Amino acid sequence: MPHKFSEDRRHKIAKQKFKVTNWAAYNESLRQRGDLTVWVSDEALSQWSAQRRTSRGGQPKYSDLAITMCLTVRVVYELPLRQTQGLMRSIAALMGVEITVPDFSTLSRRSKGLALPPVRRRTACWRPVHLVVDSTGLKVFGEGEWLENKHKIKVKRKRWRKLHLGLDLVSGEIVCSDLTTDDVGDPIALSDLLGQIDGPVGKFIADGAYDGAATRDLLTTRLGEIVEVIIPPPKTAVASSQSALNPTVRDRHIAKIETKGGRMAWQKSTGYNQRSRVETQMGRWKTVIGPKLKARNLDNQKTEAKIGVRVLNRMTELGHPEFSRVA
């Protein structure tokens, strides 16, 4: 939003300059992202085989942890399933571990509805989360523009999925996520996102797509009255009829925009500009994980998205740059 308001005078605004103050630690964290020992641990190899089931039916050969580790390696190194199988076989041989590696068809079949092992939150669960949410589109498959231009044929509609992310501003960790079809709106997906947070939420920030009575009622029901909600009202928004006696949070935002210097001043005073951090996380996803999903059906794509969240959180845990403004 700030970029839109200053677009006509963008060339007159000096670009801010920052300096990374922890280059040594950050460089080492970037090296560790490619280290196989970060993604393939001895603990996972020791729990490779599945526990024997007592009910009727076939016995699983590989544990959920083993399947998760193989799929994690696939996401990190952007490999097809067959190449993932080959890489895991070579890792087992180099480490001298006598295990059988699941084939590509097993990885595809088991990834459908895979129950990922629980992970420990890096921050204390009692600390209120400063939650900022947003969504972006991920490509699935379909003929590209080259085929359309070269052969002059009508390609089928390009499909895509909608990735919803919730970021904790304090820790930089993705605390909730969901992958839906492209027809699911942001306010509708918000209910599942909030259900993944097991602690209190002190602040909620979102863009104007979440503005509405349904979102406000949901936040009040799930998070309580004390949560600070920062959602920009549209330009055409008007105060409610009871704003004079009992103004809502939305009414106070509208009044502040009208009386305190406009929308840009409101963004700065409320901290709404911090929403850009989740947009940065979206760009990071498409750079590190990729802009396209490899799986073909929605259940497998959901598993792929969950593993992608774990990969980004693990990279954040390894280290991130610290900046100081120099100009």
Side-chain angles (χ1 to χ4, degrees):
M1 185 177 294
H3 180 82
K4 297 178 182 178
F5 275 90
S6 59
E7 177 65 24
D8 56 342
R9 58 185 186 279
R10 172 64 57 179
H11 62 285
K12 299 180 181 179
I13 301 176
K15 186 176 181 179
Q16 298 180 3
K17 296 181 180 180
F18 296 86
K19 179 182 179 180
V20 178
T21 58
N22 62 335
W23 264 118
Y26 181 51
N27 278 337
E28 181 58 28
S29 70
L30 294 178
R31 298 187 190 100
Q32 290 180 353
R33 294 181 185 183
D35 190 345
L36 283 174
T37 59
V38 172
W39 311 107
V40 183
S41 63
D42 295 334
E43 178 186 1
L45 294 175
S46 64
Q47 303 177 22
W48 191 264
S49 300
Q51 296 182 355
R52 187 173 182 82
R53 59 188 297 181
T54 57
S55 58
R56 299 179 61 183
Q59 297 293 333
K61 189 174 182 180
Y62 309 100
S63 64
D64 289 342
L65 182 59
I67 300 298
T68 301
M69 187 177 67
C70 293
L71 295 177
T72 300
V73 171
R74 181 200 186 195
V75 171
V76 171
Y77 298 103
E78 301 183 8
L79 300 174
L81 288 176
R82 289 175 175 83
Q83 294 182 19
T84 302
Q85 178 186 354
L87 177 60
M88 291 304 302
R89 285 193 307 188
S90 65
I91 293 174
L94 292 173
M95 297 180 65
V97 182
E98 295 183 358
I99 58 174
T100 57
V101 177
D103 57 77
F104 63 92
S105 60
T106 300
L107 292 175
S108 177
R109 175 174 51 83
R110 289 284 300 274
S111 65
K112 183 178 181 180
L114 179 65
L116 301 182
V119 294
R120 175 180 56 87
R121 278 189 59 182
R122 295 189 294 111
T123 55
C125 59
W126 52 265
R127 181 189 58 77
V129 174
H130 291 183
L131 182 66
V132 54
V133 298
D134 203 355
S135 64
T136 188
L138 297 177
K139 299 178 183 178
V140 183
F141 61 88
E143 293 81 356
E145 296 180 359
W146 181 87
L147 186 63
E148 184 177 3
N149 296 332
K150 179 69 175 179
H151 298 284
K152 306 301 180 182
I153 62 174
K154 183 179 180 181
V155 299
K156 61 183 178 182
R157 180 178 180 269
K158 298 177 179 64
R159 301 178 57 188
W160 57 285
R161 302 298 187 202
K162 206 169 185 180
L163 176 67
H164 307 264
L165 294 181
L167 180 71
D168 183 7
L169 292 175
V170 178
S171 64
E173 180 182 5
I174 301 175
V175 294
C176 55
S177 65
D178 194 13
L179 188 75
T180 64
T181 55
D182 55 0
D183 57 347
V184 176
D186 292 345
I188 298 176
L190 182 59
S191 177
D192 292 337
L193 292 179
L194 296 178
Q196 300 176 28
I197 301 176
D198 54 0
V201 177
K203 181 182 294 185
F204 178 86
I205 305 177
D207 60 14
Y210 294 86
D211 179 66
T215 300
R216 294 193 296 272
D217 295 341
L218 177 63
L219 293 175
T220 302
T221 303
R222 294 288 187 88
L223 307 180
E225 296 284 351
I226 61 174
V227 61
E228 181 183 0
V229 179
I230 304 175
I231 301 177
K235 293 181 179 180
T236 56
V238 295
S240 60
S241 56
Q242 69 272 16
S243 60
L245 300 177
N246 186 22
T248 63
V249 175
R250 188 172 186 267
D251 293 333
R252 292 194 290 270
H253 286 327
I254 294 175
K256 195 170 185 178
I257 292 174
E258 294 177 350
T259 60
K260 301 295 183 179
R263 192 169 294 262
M264 292 291 288
W266 172 85
Q267 290 180 177
K268 186 176 182 179
S269 62
T270 58
Y272 176 75
N273 291 334
Q274 295 184 75
R275 195 187 66 84
S276 62
R277 290 182 56 185
V278 73
E279 294 181 344
T280 302
Q281 194 71 285
M282 298 293 184
R284 184 179 175 218
W285 179 291
K286 294 186 177 182
T287 301
V288 177
I289 307 299
K292 185 176 180 181
L293 294 165
K294 296 181 176 62
R296 289 304 183 97
N297 59 70
L298 183 58
D299 291 333
N300 292 37
Q301 291 164 358
K302 286 178 175 290
T303 301
E304 183 180 345
K306 292 178 181 178
I307 293 177
V309 169
R310 294 193 174 205
V311 168
L312 288 185
N313 283 340
R314 178 60 173 148
M315 290 182 176
T316 302
E317 183 180 356
L318 292 174
H320 56 86
E322 297 177 1
F323 298 97
S324 63
R325 185 174 174 180
V326 296

